[in-house]
Structure formats: C-alpha cells, structure tokens
Amino acid sequence: MPEFTAGRPTPLALRLPDGRRLGLTRYGNPAHRPVVFHHGFGSSGLELPDEPALLARRQLQIVAFDRPGVGQSSVYRPLTFSSFADDVAAALDALDIPGPVGVMGWSVGGVHALALAARHPARVAAVQLLSTCLPLGEPAAYRRLSRTWKLLRWGQTAFPWANRTTFLWLSRQWARRPDAAIDWFIRLMRAEEARVTARYRALLRDAAVQGFANHGRGVYDDAQAWCRRPGFRIEDVHAPVRLWHGADDGVWAPGNIPYVAGRLPRATVQLLPQQGHMLYLENWPAILEEMSGLLPALVPPL
C-alpha cells in the first residue's frame, strides 16, 4: 500500500472480504476527519480538485472509491446500490476508519451516498448531494422522471446488449484518444456544463479514462444498477443532508430537488443561480467548508 505523500492524491487498492479488489484515491492527510466521495457516472475517484492546503485548513481527508469495474476495482455482477454501500463499509473497516464519516456524492454518486447512509446509518454523520439524480428503478421516483429519462431507462433495460456495445466502443475511444473523446463530449453539452468542463478539461478527461477502464464494464454495470430497484428507502436516511443543485442544471432538472428533500427527514436545499451540473468543481471550497462544519471537531492526540 503506498504511503501518504503530503500534497498529493494517493492511489490505494484494498481487498474486500470476498477477495475482490477495490480501488480508491485518498486526498489529504489520513489523520484528518474522513469524508467518503462517490463519483459520477462514467467517471472515477480522480474527478476531485487537488486542493491539499484547503483540505488541511478544514482538517479533512477525502476517500474517493472507484465503483466495481472502474479503475483498479474488480468487476462485480450484479452491482446494486446496496452492494456497493456494503463494499464501502467493509473498505472503511480495512482503512481503520470506524466512523462516523461525512459522505458526498455527485450526480448518480448522490444515490450511492444515500444508499450508504440508509444501510449503514451509524457510519454516516452528514451527507452532501451535489447535483444529485434520482434512482431510475424506484417506482415512486420513476413517476417524476422526464420523458427523456424514461426513454433512456427503457433503452438500458430493453436493449442491454446495445448499451454494452456502446460502452465498449466508448471505452476504446477514452483509452486511445482521450483528448478527442472529451472534446466530443464538450460539444454535446449545454452551455453551462460545457464551460465548466472545458475549464477542468484535464481533470475530467483523466477521471473518465479510469471510469471507462475494463472495457467499459463498470459503466455498463453502474447503468444497470441505476435502473434496478434501489434496495433502500430514501426516507431511511436520518443524517443531516444538504442538497447542492444548479438552477441551470442541464442534466438533472432542479424541479426534482424539492421532491428529494421532502423525502429526507433532515434535508436542506442550496439552489445556486446560473450554475449547472458541474457546480461542485466551482464551489469546492464552500462545499468543504460546509462539510467541515457538519462533522465533529478533530480531537488532538494526547
């Protein structure tokens, strides 16, 4: 296991109880208060800004796990929100982090963050949902979906072989021509998402290369998990939850956020004007400041 190097993200890989490998990236000092980060769809734990001085001031470390099939993590079938929540709990034990921890999730990572808080409430002190999505396979949430999202879910479940082929093709593009791949995605984005992605182009490019590793298997399995019943109840999350969302989010409509907050017993909403789906990148200092205030203070050693 690599040793911690001050000022640099540290890649690690753990063995889970069933022998599978789980990759992660650790940001900040391991002696500081832990925060688990759940990455977005088609990405990896490399999608975070490297801000060691900021983390040190807030006395935080970020542990960003790669979901099965992403980066160094073994492929696992069938992946579910619940199975990955259990993987993270086992990994925290392996890292000697007893909890409670802060939990963040960006985009579909927000659903994974909720799953961890619902299944392992004693391990979670607070949750931040950053441009979160809904679980596509939950009947109550499905009724809230736009026509586009319903169509995407239908395609994923009705034609899995077509999606598997698509993700395999994309994995080859990210592996062989990563710069061309991210430029292509930027051209497909709405204006606000394209602006921020272009600004953080290298970071998001490298995160996506790892996200589409293993022949795109992790992305495909993540999509399948997203379309299944989630295996947990949103209402069972009793930790305080803060929802950060952009009023100009071109991926996930902000109108769904009050609905999510209404199902969470201790939720508050931060709706940011003129911000899109990538808001976590431009608001990272404020997000960390808020998480620092939500977690217990660090007790100095005797």
Side-chain angles (χ1 to χ4, degrees):
M1 182 178 294
E3 294 184 357
F4 165 70
T5 303
R8 299 189 64 185
T10 304
L12 301 170
L14 306 171
R15 287 290 176 186
L16 295 170
D18 62 3
R20 285 181 294 121
R21 185 181 178 95
L22 187 67
L24 64 114
T25 303
R26 196 172 208 164
Y27 301 78
N29 191 327
H32 288 166
R33 296 171 295 170
V35 178
V36 169
F37 181 85
H38 291 277
H39 62 77
F41 184 76
S43 189
S44 67
L46 296 178
E47 70 185 13
L48 295 180
D50 183 16
E51 299 280 0
L54 180 59
L55 289 171
R57 285 199 301 273
R58 299 300 175 197
Q59 294 189 311
L60 297 174
Q61 59 162 311
I62 308 290
V63 183
F65 293 101
D66 290 336
R67 288 194 283 279
V70 170
Q72 297 187 70
S73 294
S74 301
V75 173
Y76 177 65
R77 300 172 65 193
L79 173 68
T80 65
F81 288 113
S82 297
S83 72
F84 188 63
D86 295 345
D87 286 350
V88 170
L92 291 174
D93 288 337
L95 291 168
D96 197 24
I97 298 176
V101 302
V103 180
M104 299 176 179
W106 174 60
S107 195
V108 72
V111 186
H112 284 282
L114 290 174
L116 180 62
R119 287 184 64 83
H120 300 277
R123 306 299 295 263
V124 177
V127 180
Q128 288 173 311
L129 303 180
L130 313 174
S131 307
T132 193
C133 300
L134 290 175
L136 303 183
E138 185 196 64
Y142 179 82
R143 291 192 288 271
R144 302 279 309 185
L145 299 181
S146 67
R147 181 176 299 177
T148 298
W149 277 108
K150 287 179 178 178
L151 181 62
L152 288 171
R153 182 182 182 273
W154 173 77
Q156 182 67 35
T157 55
F159 305 101
W161 56 269
N163 289 280
R164 180 72 191 98
T165 302
T166 299
F167 293 136
L168 175 61
W169 179 81
L170 285 171
S171 74
R172 292 172 178 166
Q173 306 312 305
W174 283 110
R176 298 171 183 173
R177 304 174 63 214
D179 289 305
I182 194 161
D183 289 341
W184 180 69
F185 273 100
I186 290 172
R187 288 194 294 271
L188 295 177
M189 292 176 177
R190 290 177 58 173
E192 181 57 25
E193 280 77 29
R195 179 187 68 81
V196 180
T197 301
R199 179 180 174 187
Y200 292 90
R201 179 178 178 278
L203 181 151
L204 295 170
R205 176 200 63 203
D206 294 346
V209 168
Q210 291 300 305
F212 279 86
N214 301 303
H215 309 291
R217 185 81 230 192
V219 186
Y220 172 77
D221 289 339
D222 208 18
Q224 290 290 304
W226 195 4
C227 292
R228 298 188 188 103
R229 288 180 178 266
F232 71 94
R233 296 176 67 250
I234 293 175
E235 290 81 2
D236 289 339
V237 177
H238 295 287
V241 180
R242 182 73 160 168
L243 294 95
W244 290 68
H245 212 84
D248 293 333
D249 193 318
V251 176
W252 203 257
N256 287 305
I257 300 309
Y259 165 74
V260 178
R263 295 181 60 183
L264 293 161
R266 301 172 64 189
T268 55
V269 175
Q270 174 84 335
L271 187 64
L272 302 181
Q274 299 180 327
Q275 295 274 316
H277 198 63
M278 319 297 291
L279 67 80
Y280 81 95
L281 289 165
E282 296 194 307
N283 294 276
W284 194 234
I287 289 167
L288 290 181
E289 180 179 6
E290 180 182 86
M291 179 57 80
S292 179
L294 292 170
L295 295 180
L298 185 66
V299 178
L302 298 176

